[in-house]
Amino acid sequence: MSILNNFTNFALNYPPLFCLKIWNDNPHMANHLNGKFNECYERYGALGAMTAFYNSLDATNSEIFENYLTNSNE
C-alpha cells in the first residue's frame, strides 16, 4: 500500500490519542502534538484535521509520522 493510501486510511480512521502512541518515546512531544491535533480538529473539523495537523509538523516529526504510517499494521 502506498504512503498516500496509508495516510488517507489513517486520516479517516485514526485511533483516539494516536499521538501518544506514535511519540511514546517522548511524552512531552506526544502531549504537545496531541493538543495540536485537537486544535486542528476544532478548527478544521473531522475531514480537515489530519491534513492540517500533518502540515503543521516540522521535518523531524513529519518523518516520525510517515515512518509510523509506513510501518504500522493498523
Side-chain angles (χ1 to χ4, degrees):
M1 191 178 290
S2 75
I3 187 66
L4 184 57
N5 286 338
N6 287 354
F7 177 79
T8 303
N9 187 48
F10 189 82
L12 297 173
N13 300 288
Y14 57 87
L17 305 174
F18 68 90
C19 291
L20 304 182
K21 181 175 182 179
I22 297 172
W23 286 272
N24 65 353
D25 62 335
N26 187 342
H28 176 73
M29 184 59 66
N31 287 324
H32 167 71
L33 293 175
N34 189 62
K36 182 177 282 216
F37 178 78
N38 289 338
E39 290 172 7
C40 289
Y41 189 91
E42 289 176 16
R43 184 168 184 184
Y44 300 104
L47 292 177
M50 192 61 69
T51 305
F53 173 74
Y54 177 76
N55 194 51
S56 73
L57 296 175
D58 63 18
T60 299
N61 287 311
S62 62
E63 184 176 348
I64 291 169
F65 187 53
E66 290 165 14
N67 286 335
Y68 176 81
L69 291 177
T70 300
N71 298 311
S72 177
N73 293 324
E74 293 184 355

